Amino acid sequence: SACIDCVAGKHVDVPGSSSASACIDCVAGKYVDVPGSADASECIDCAAGKYIDTSGSADASECIDCAAGKYATVPGINSATDCIDCAAGKYVDALGSDDALDCIDCVAGKYVEVPGSDDPADCIDCAAGKYVDVPGADSSEGCIDCVAGRYGTDTGSARSDDCIDCVAGKYVDVSGIAHASDCIDCATGTYVDVAGSDDASDCIDCV
């Protein structure tokens, strides 16, 4: 009788095989989509950004995308755990990413502290009274206080210019202030005629 091909997903590399059971599965992470393969080298790696965790795969469509928030740079991986989290400060909202460069920085004004973020909504606004002027911040500590003499009312500020001077007649001597009401009146008998004062000593005695 005629020799029978091993089915797609399998190979046999010795002559004289007498049973389909002699056909060997392609290992996890690989597939072969044609019958009759004669060597393990004919099994094809799943592309970078994908994995397969079972043996004997017969088609590239059986390769599974790395989840959003993750990527894989090497082909032929055999477990979801081989997919790498995007670093803190970044996210990726697409499946099957194959490069760390696919991970997207949180925009200026925001940060994310955990790796593996899969949505821009995971990026957190800097608190009022703070800003961050570079993308990709990976900690709330990356948010910078508005300097003494200024305050910031908005969350998610991306520029120091978003910080607002205390008005003339007031000062504030600490950084990171979030409300105009935190600006302190010059004491009775003193004044300051410029905005943005940062110390009580800026208040001048009335003559």
Side-chain angles (χ1 to χ4, degrees), residues 20-42:
S21 64
C23 299
I24 303 164
D25 286 343
C26 287
V27 297
K30 298 175 181 281
Y31 67 93
V32 65
D33 54 6
V34 294
S37 296
D39 193 81
S41 65
E42 296 182 41

Side-chain angles (χ1 to χ4, degrees), residues 27-30 50-54 75-82:
V27 297
K30 298 175 181 281
K50 298 175 181 283
Y51 68 94
I52 194 161
D53 52 9
T54 57
I77 64 174
N78 60 17
S79 173
T81 59
D82 293 328

Side-chain angles (χ1 to χ4, degrees), residues 108-123:
K110 297 176 181 279
Y111 66 94
V112 66
E113 295 183 327
V114 295
S117 294
D118 62 3
D119 193 294
D122 293 335
C123 300

Side-chain angles (χ1 to χ4, degrees), residues 89 105-112 126 131-139 142-144 157-160:
D105 286 335
C106 289
V107 297
K110 297 176 181 279
Y111 66 94
V112 66
C126 288
Y131 68 94
V132 63
D133 54 6
V134 293
D138 61 6
S139 169
C143 300
I144 302 164
S157 293
R159 302 180 307 149
S160 61

